[in-house]
Structure formats: structure tokens, C-alpha cells
Amino acid sequence: MKSSVSDCVVLPLNKIHNRAGNITIVEGNKNVPFAVRRIYYLYDIPGGEARGGHAHKELQQLIVAASGSFTVLLDDGQNKKAVNLNRPDYGLMIIPGIWRELMEFSSGAICLVLASHNYEAGDYIRDYQEYKRFKNEH
Ligand code: TYD
């Protein structure tokens, strides 16, 4: 599979500001390049913990630091890229076929994930050697 970390870009989202605060709107197929089927969020993450450690075969995701900050380590089997997310009006696109780990969560961080498909255990690759084989075969 040819997907590359260089195609995992940080997208600026809109932000409407007034004296009572900010609102950011994400609309599927409008300011994210897929229809949003599922939303989930990670929170109450103990200091020093890492999450992720897998790749997806089909799933596309937009990852937003809705609160606080964290680092997403992306790996396409050849190149790696670390992206620090710390603003709720930016989202990291993760295309299919990218190994990712999430780490360095700040206290109170909320990692909001918008996903293109419903949960499917079979879409996950959780073993790094299997991931390398998948990349070579596809
Ligand atoms: P997992 O993907 O392992 O979390 P992370 O990659 O953030 O470390 O998911 C943790 C658990 O939650 C696992 O048992 C699968 C389950 N889960 C669902 O049932 N539905 C979902 O949409 C997601 C994202 C996870």
C-alpha cells in the first residue's frame, strides 16, 4: 500500500469567535474529505500512557485535540512523522494504511476522533510485523 505519512496533513478547521467563546464545525465531505460515520473520544488518560499502536486497512480519521495536547507518531513503514496537536481548530488527517501511536498526553487532554466507518475489529492491524507485510503485499 502506497499511503505515506506525507499525505497525513494537518487541516485548519474553521473557527467562529465571539465574546462568548469559539465554535468549530466539522462537516463530512465538506471540510473533511470523508463522510463521518463514527465519533469517539479519548479522555482521562493517565500521564505517561500511550495509545494506538495499530493501523487501519480502510478507515480514514480526523484527530483533533479538543482540549489539551498530545503527540501523534505516524509511520508508513518507511518514514515517520511526529505531529503535536494542541489546538481545537486544527485536525490531523490519517489516511488508511498508516501505523500510529498517540502519546505525551497533557493533563486533561481530550482526543476527538472522527471516523469514516463504524467500528470493525477486522479493519485493524495490531501487529507491526503484520503491518509491514500488509504494506509490502498491497
Ligand atoms: P483501541 O482501538 O484499542 O484503543 P486505542 O487505539 O485508542 O488504544 O480500543 C480500545 C477498546 O475499545 C477495544 O476493546 C475496542 C473498543 N472500541 C470499540 O468497541 N469501538 C470503537 O469504536 C473503538 C474506537 C474502540
Side-chain angles (χ1 to χ4, degrees):
M1 195 181 231
K2 285 202 164 52
S3 52
S4 152
V5 293
S6 59
D7 297 320
C8 296
V9 291
V10 176
L11 298 176
L13 305 170
N14 52 20
K15 177 164 84 173
I16 301 173
H17 168 79
N18 69 26
R19 61 180 171 73
N22 299 321
I23 181 169
T24 290
I25 303 105
V26 183
E27 290 188 84
N29 281 334
K30 230 169 155 184
N31 54 350
V32 281
F34 58 86
V36 178
R37 289 290 295 274
R38 175 168 54 116
I39 295 171
Y40 61 92
Y41 34 98
L42 309 175
Y43 55 97
D44 289 348
I45 300 145
E49 283 296 337
R51 300 199 58 119
H54 62 251
H56 287 283
K57 297 174 188 169
E58 303 275 345
L59 192 72
Q60 300 181 69
Q61 292 165 303
L62 183 82
I63 299 196
V64 178
S67 185
S69 66
F70 51 86
T71 297
V72 186
L73 188 59
L74 302 169
D75 178 350
D76 60 21
Q78 295 202 311
N79 295 301
K80 294 183 188 199
K81 179 164 97 170
V83 179
N84 185 253
L85 294 176
N86 56 14
R87 288 178 58 168
D89 56 339
Y90 282 82
L92 171 65
M93 258 309 296
I94 306 188
I95 61 175
I98 302 288
W99 187 268
R100 91 290 311 276
E101 287 174 45
L102 283 73
M103 55 192 68
E104 298 170 354
F105 290 90
S106 68
S107 165
I110 299 176
C111 171
L112 175 65
V113 183
L114 289 74
S116 62
H117 292 77
N118 289 339
Y119 177 72
E120 266 182 61
D123 188 62
Y124 282 71
I125 306 170
R126 292 190 180 273
D127 177 80
Y128 191 73
Q129 294 311 319
E130 189 188 332
Y131 168 68
K132 295 279 275 188
R133 282 196 295 276
F134 175 81
K135 289 293 276 191
N136 287 333
E137 285 164 12
H138 289 77

